[in-house]
Amino acid sequence: PDGTTCEGCTPGYATTYAGVCSPCDEGKVPVDSSSRCEVCPPGKEQNENRTACVQCEMGEATITGRCIACASGWITKNSQSSCEMCTAGKHPATNKSACEECPPDSASSTGECRPCPAGQVPVDDGLICSKCTAGSVTADRITCETCSEGKTPNSDESPTQCVECADGKFRSRNATACVACPVGKAPNSNRTDCEVCPQGKAGATGSCQACAEGKIPDEAQNNCEQCPPHSTTLGTGATR
């Protein structure tokens, strides 16, 4: 102070070339008996009084000399000197120093796992969720299963289970949807194929109905037609 003696710099300060004590810049601490300031190593930052470097917290990296939390879906890399986003289908582990696989029913494009909506499964290595192909469903949002003959997905938008084809419709082995039976036919009991309407019955909408008294099926068994004049049938569902 009186110019005749030298004293050490205040903690957090170091001498300049002119012999003046100046505070270390952000991210630096005094070294070599406060003769100079040195940048903290990767993964560390200066403490509050700039006297020492301290380790960054878990999930933080040194950006411009300070410990900054990595963004959601990102992990620390290179001794906590930088952050890196997890790749498709992965998210940060608990310590945020490595990425791990998303749950099997989830997908991730930004390092954050999100459960797939009902009727969808992860695709493209877990990057996105997608609906099952036509004629298939998923109950667990992990794998798709093709509906068996005579059945169809319960929904076009969220196919989660297979249900029996609607009345008047059937689905064969290679079909992806239920279709109506042609005129004069109706689905069999398993709805896997169509059968010709029994004698005395006709149908145009996939169901066979008995012809009323005085009527008989036309040749295609599409409609019931009136008996010729001066004639009738022996009762409902008659063939002649």
Side-chain angles (χ1 to χ4, degrees):
D2 58 7
T4 60
T5 59
C6 293
E7 294 183 353
C9 293
T10 302
Y13 284 61
T15 54
T16 64
Y17 290 110
V20 178
C21 291
S22 298
C24 290
D25 293 334
E26 187 170 51
K28 295 182 178 182
V29 294
V31 295
D32 298 338
S33 301
S34 298
S35 63
R36 62 187 178 88
C37 296
E38 184 175 81
V39 177
C40 289
K44 292 186 177 183
E45 68 177 353
Q46 62 185 192
N47 58 10
E48 288 187 8
N49 55 14
R50 306 188 183 203
T51 58
C53 295
V54 293
Q55 187 69 42
C56 293
E57 296 290 335
M58 189 180 299
E60 293 182 339
T62 46
I63 310 296
T64 64
R66 296 177 54 212
C67 292
I68 304 295
C70 293
S72 179
W74 293 59
I75 61 170
T76 58
K77 295 289 289 183
N78 303 321
S79 301
Q80 290 183 269
S81 65
S82 62
C83 298
E84 180 179 87
M85 187 173 71
C86 290
T87 56
K90 294 185 177 183
H91 68 138
T94 303
N95 61 10
K96 295 187 177 181
S97 64
C99 297
E100 61 185 16
E101 297 289 337
C102 289
D105 64 348
S106 302
S108 168
S109 60
T110 59
E112 295 183 77
C113 300
R114 301 183 187 279
C116 289
Q120 297 188 22
V121 296
V123 296
D124 297 339
D125 296 323
L127 177 65
I128 59 172
C129 297
S130 178
K131 285 194 303 182
C132 295
T133 56
S136 299
V137 302
T138 177
D140 56 13
R141 295 179 294 187
I142 298 175
T143 56
C144 294
E145 296 183 1
T146 302
C147 291
S148 59
E149 295 175 88
K151 294 188 176 183
T152 187
N154 63 326
S155 166
D156 289 334
E157 294 302 318
S158 303
T160 58
Q161 60 179 325
C162 297
V163 295
E164 191 176 68
C165 290
D167 290 344
K169 294 186 176 183
F170 77 105
R171 179 170 176 260
S172 58
R173 182 183 300 276
N174 297 321
T176 58
C178 298
V179 295
C181 286
V183 294
K185 292 186 176 183
N188 58 15
S189 59
N190 296 324
R191 308 204 179 201
T192 59
D193 202 355
C194 296
E195 299 176 338
V196 176
C197 290
Q199 289 188 340
K201 294 184 177 182
T205 59
S207 63
C208 299
Q209 304 294 328
C211 291
E213 185 173 356
K215 293 185 176 182
I216 58 173
D218 60 15
E219 186 174 350
Q221 289 186 267
N222 180 8
N223 294 298
C224 294
E225 56 184 19
Q226 194 70 42
C227 290
H230 311 299
S231 65
T232 187
T233 60
L234 300 178
T236 301
T239 59
R240 59 186 180 84

